[in-house]
Amino acid sequence: MIDLFSGLDAWVLVSLLLALAFVLAFEFINGFHDTANAVATVIYTKAMPPHLAVFFSGVFNFLGVLLGGVGVAYAIVHLLPVELLINVNTGHGLAMVFSLLAAAITWNLGTWYFGIPASSSHTLIGSILGVGLANALINDIPLADGVNWQKAIDIGASLVFSPMAGFLVAALILIGLKWWRPLSKMHKTPEQRRKIDDKKHPPFWNRLVLVISAMAVSFVHGSNDGQKGIGLIMLVLIGIVPAQFVLDLGSTTYQIERTRDATLHLSQFYKRNADTLGEYLALGKSVEGDLPEKFRCNPQQTEPTITALLGTLKGVADYHSLPAESRIEVRRYLLCLDDTAKKVGKLPGLAPREKADLDKLRKDLTTTTEYAPFWVILAVALALGLGTMVGWKRVVLTIGEKIGKQGMTYSQGMSAQITTASLIGMANIFSLPVSTTHVLSSGVAGTMVANKSGLQGGTVRTILLAWVLTLPATVALSAGLFWLASKALGS
């Protein structure tokens, strides 16, 4: 890893280390918020002592990050339009990264201080959107093109519907448990268990389910939220030291061949569907040498882009053999081809089978650009785990006692945690970022309603207010910071 940063100017190296520290600080604070939710129920119900709960939560978060892949990471990255992602230079990268991280960290710390289960996912997404919109205003780009709105809509839908599903599913599970075992001790609160049964811990089987489901929540949290940190670090590395990270320099010859073959097959795909796509892609009409502009992708330049990419990769068996500028060009070509293929896949007239083929080609095209080094994954996992161990107390109290008018029962805790683990696990399969905070807290609220315990209006209003304000507040904050940083760099 050290050799990747050798030869950098001192100011670039300092900026890089500072940016990495900012990302890891964001993930550390994420541990205050979201990972604390993974152990809130198990600690409140006395199923596990706090020191064991946070330790094992950290372990399962680590495993979740390690085994979760990078699908969610790049879903976050691709909130930014492809034009902003291919605009690779150190100053621009620094402005983008520090603006969105400063906004995200500021909001996260503020909501944590007041014990509000705010969403780190919302915070990060709002910060990224703010940078994209500010970049559009600064460079006279239409706001419609300033953000990848389709990706933003997909992510927004997952963030909106996942808490609703959490509320409903957790409530239904609790109703099922009360119907199945209406007199069971699992329907007692820890306080009732202590007073009536003179027992400190839940019944054995309830305790086992609480512990297993808590670790499951920790695992899926790591594989979802942890990837957001991975995506941020890759933005940092590509923005500040592009020569070393625009492509996976550890790619095997087979992976490079796979990228080259995908490019060839993409060309054949377009020719095969020329009747449908000919006008959109200007097939056979593009001027030789008419390559994509440095900061712009154009579907009508697809053919020369394919030609240039195949020419650059000809005979290449190891990305190390490519000059730094050629690596940046290869990534630009790949991102533009992928962006165009994504747009083509949404055009009418293509058969479902052809669209499925196009999706497979897109995955092969991005094999060597959508990656994360192991040390990045490890650093994010450690930051999440340490954040859990430091800041869990405030959120545990909110989840356990301040959402409902009565304390949480064991069955409510099990229902909320099983629901949370299941919904986030499904989101991971589809590479959709969701909020552990909102899914779990809405699950707890659902069980309170199903249990007829009532909700504490003040707490619910505070959580909803944070939910509503997070996006506009972080969009405005990151946009303002990016505008100031860009003006400073431009002056």
Side-chain angles (χ1 to χ4, degrees), residues 8 16 70 82 85 94 99 141 179 205 210 221 279 310 346 367 376 389 400-402 441 453:
L8 296 178
L16 174 62
V70 293
V82 67
L85 293 176
L94 284 172
S99 299
I141 298 171
W179 172 80
W205 289 109
L210 282 165
H221 173 265
E279 184 175 350
L310 291 174
K346 296 172 183 174
T367 298
V376 171
M389 297 176 192
E401 296 183 356
K402 292 187 177 180
S441 56
S453 303

Side-chain angles (χ1 to χ4, degrees), residues 104-375:
I105 288 172
T106 300
W107 186 260
N108 262 0
L109 276 177
T111 51
W112 167 81
Y113 179 79
F114 291 104
I116 302 170
S119 167
S120 295
S121 301
H122 269 129
T123 302
L124 176 58
I125 290 165
S127 299
I128 291 175
L129 292 178
V131 166
L133 293 173
N135 180 72
L137 291 172
I138 291 169
N139 294 292
D140 295 322
I141 298 171
L143 290 181
D145 299 327
V147 170
N148 185 345
W149 290 110
Q150 185 56 56
K151 179 64 70 175
I153 290 169
D154 292 343
I155 292 174
S158 71
L159 288 170
V160 169
F161 289 115
S162 56
M164 296 180 184
F167 184 96
L168 180 62
V169 173
L172 290 175
I173 291 176
L174 181 66
I175 290 170
L177 289 175
K178 295 189 80 169
W179 172 80
W180 177 48
R181 300 285 298 276
L183 302 178
S184 172
K185 294 177 181 178
M186 66 176 155
H187 301 303
K188 293 180 178 178
T189 66
E191 186 67 23
Q192 291 169 337
R193 172 80 165 159
R194 186 166 55 250
K195 285 183 178 180
I196 298 171
D197 301 333
D198 197 26
K199 300 281 187 180
K200 183 179 179 181
H201 302 294
F204 174 78
W205 289 109
N206 303 142
R207 188 176 187 181
L208 183 64
V209 173
L210 282 165
V211 170
I212 291 174
S213 59
M215 295 308 105
V217 172
S218 296
F219 181 85
V220 296
H221 173 265
S223 60
N224 195 283
D225 273 45
Q227 287 190 54
K228 296 160 192 169
I230 293 172
L232 278 177
I233 289 184
M234 293 313 296
L235 273 179
V236 168
L237 296 175
I238 291 169
I240 299 178
V241 280
Q244 301 292 351
F245 293 99
V246 286
L247 298 173
D248 182 3
L249 296 183
S251 298
T252 64
T253 302
Y254 169 75
Q255 289 173 312
I256 297 173
E257 288 287 348
R258 187 175 161 191
T259 301
R260 189 186 294 114
D261 288 345
T263 308
L264 279 170
H265 288 304
L266 186 66
S267 177
Q268 295 167 3
F269 175 92
Y270 290 147
K271 290 175 181 176
R272 187 168 68 245
N273 292 279
D275 290 343
T276 305
L277 306 174
E279 184 175 350
Y280 181 73
L281 299 177
L283 298 178
K285 300 177 184 177
S286 53
V287 180
E288 186 176 351
D290 186 19
L291 297 176
E293 297 176 25
K294 195 166 186 179
F295 306 130
R296 180 73 60 182
C297 294
N298 185 343
Q300 296 190 339
Q301 296 171 322
T302 295
E303 281 189 317
T305 303
I306 289 174
T307 301
L309 178 59
L310 291 174
T312 305
L313 291 181
K314 186 176 181 180
V316 174
D318 186 339
Y319 280 144
H320 285 94
S321 65
L322 282 175
E325 187 58 38
S326 295
R327 296 175 197 167
I328 294 172
E329 287 177 352
V330 166
R331 178 176 180 268
R332 186 165 84 247
Y333 298 155
L334 287 170
L335 288 183
C336 283
L337 289 177
D338 177 62
D339 184 65
T340 297
K342 179 175 61 179
K343 293 174 181 175
V344 165
K346 296 172 183 174
L347 295 176
L350 277 182
R353 181 177 177 179
E354 294 283 34
K355 290 184 178 181
D357 284 347
L358 192 59
D359 286 339
K360 293 175 184 175
L361 287 174
R362 286 186 59 207
K363 290 179 182 177
D364 287 343
L365 275 175
T366 56
T367 298
T368 58
T369 58
E370 295 189 357
Y371 75 101
F374 179 74
W375 66 266

